[in-house]
Amino acid sequence: MVELKTEESINEMRAPGRVVARALAAVRQAARVGVSLLELDAAARGVLAEAGASSPFLGYRPHFAPVPFPGVICASVNDAIVHGLPDGYRLRDGDLVSIDCGAKLGGWVGDAAVSFTVGRPRPADVRLIETAEAALAAGIAAARPGNRIGDIAHAIGTVCRSAGYGIMEDFGGHGVGRTMHEDPGVPNEGRPGRGMQLRPGMVLAIEPMLIAGGTDDYRCDGDGWTLRTLDGSRAAHAEHTVAITADGPRILTAP
């Protein structure tokens, strides 16, 4: 069931959205060669604590997970697409890092992700990240009343496929509200004019995940969480929490 938020509720959701934006900025600032993923997680924890927010990631355990998630960020490096565990891995020159972060404040959740490089960037990684951001922007632009879920999916998929990148078939965006994952699901590829109609009050996490090698195949690490490209190519992830309003899409996790 899709919960339509009131204008007041959407305004309240801006608070956790700002916290997520600050946490992602803190992580990005802390990300240098030699810094561990655990230290990046600590940077995000500090922002959440200062804001009085909790993490919807920490302790989260869906049906497929062997253990609860141990951090407040997903830290996915190079060929890791999503759900990477923040551990003792220390960043190296040229690493491509994707950070996903959520915050819960005032009973509402915000969820966003960003990808960036550490040290000297590879041109191919810069292009991959720029395309992920362009796909996210295209998906957000399609998040308007009267359109359908398929219009968002088609906009994202068109940008990704036109650039020659792969898309994870089984993972995509989702509704956001009182909990991190709500209806409806938001695929990253689809046919325009299909699916649920978009209405004011819907709040969606729109999140393209791109595979540089052009295939859609992925595998799960032995940790039960980290999803990696099957061909070993790099991946990028971009995400915002977006409210659909009569005036158009409103990004709730913008800085």
Side-chain angles (χ1 to χ4, degrees):
M1 183 178 72
V2 176
E3 176 194 0
L4 297 179
K5 281 73 174 177
T6 64
E7 183 177 353
E8 180 181 4
S9 295
I10 290 173
N11 289 335
E12 291 174 353
M13 290 186 72
R14 185 69 176 107
R18 288 192 183 98
V19 175
V20 171
R22 292 200 298 271
L24 289 173
V27 169
R28 188 166 189 165
Q29 185 175 18
R32 300 181 302 276
V33 173
V35 172
S36 74
L37 300 183
L38 283 172
E39 290 174 288
L40 299 186
D41 189 72
R45 287 177 190 250
V47 173
L48 267 61
E50 183 179 2
S54 61
S55 169
F57 290 17
L58 185 62
Y60 179 61
R61 188 178 183 182
H63 65 89
F64 61 79
V67 295
F69 196 79
V72 303
I73 61 169
C74 295
S76 306
V77 181
N78 296 332
D79 64 331
I81 310 167
V82 287
H83 302 166
L85 303 183
D87 57 18
Y89 175 85
R90 294 193 176 276
L91 296 173
R92 301 170 184 172
D93 186 42
D95 276 347
L96 193 167
V97 184
S98 296
I99 302 293
D100 194 351
C101 184
K104 188 168 187 177
L105 185 64
W108 298 105
V109 171
D111 186 11
V114 64
S115 293
F116 53 86
T117 57
V118 175
R120 291 167 294 183
R122 300 181 182 183
D125 290 346
V126 173
R127 177 174 175 265
L128 178 65
I129 292 168
E130 288 177 346
T131 305
E133 293 171 347
L136 174 59
I140 292 172
R144 296 181 175 276
N147 279 355
R148 294 184 178 272
I149 292 291
D151 294 307
I152 297 176
H154 178 71
I156 293 171
T158 297
V159 172
C160 296
R161 296 298 189 190
S162 296
Y165 297 129
I167 301 169
M168 295 178 71
E169 181 179 357
D170 304 318
F171 289 84
H174 48 87
V176 182
R178 296 288 183 183
T179 62
M180 180 168 54
H181 292 132
E182 298 184 354
D183 291 332
V186 186
N188 286 324
E189 189 169 34
R191 298 176 63 182
R194 297 296 183 90
M196 181 179 294
Q197 188 169 46
L198 305 179
R199 299 168 59 189
M202 294 174 71
V203 179
L204 308 174
I206 300 174
E207 51 177 327
M209 293 163 270
L210 282 61
I211 298 174
T215 70
D216 301 346
D217 300 323
Y218 62 92
R219 64 178 177 84
C220 186
D221 270 3
D223 60 28
W225 278 101
T226 308
L227 301 181
R228 295 187 184 276
T229 63
L230 192 61
D231 62 5
S233 65
R234 296 193 169 197
H237 180 198
E239 177 184 17
H240 271 308
T241 296
V242 180
I244 296 171
T245 78
D247 298 323
R250 181 183 177 190
I251 302 174
L252 302 180
T253 45

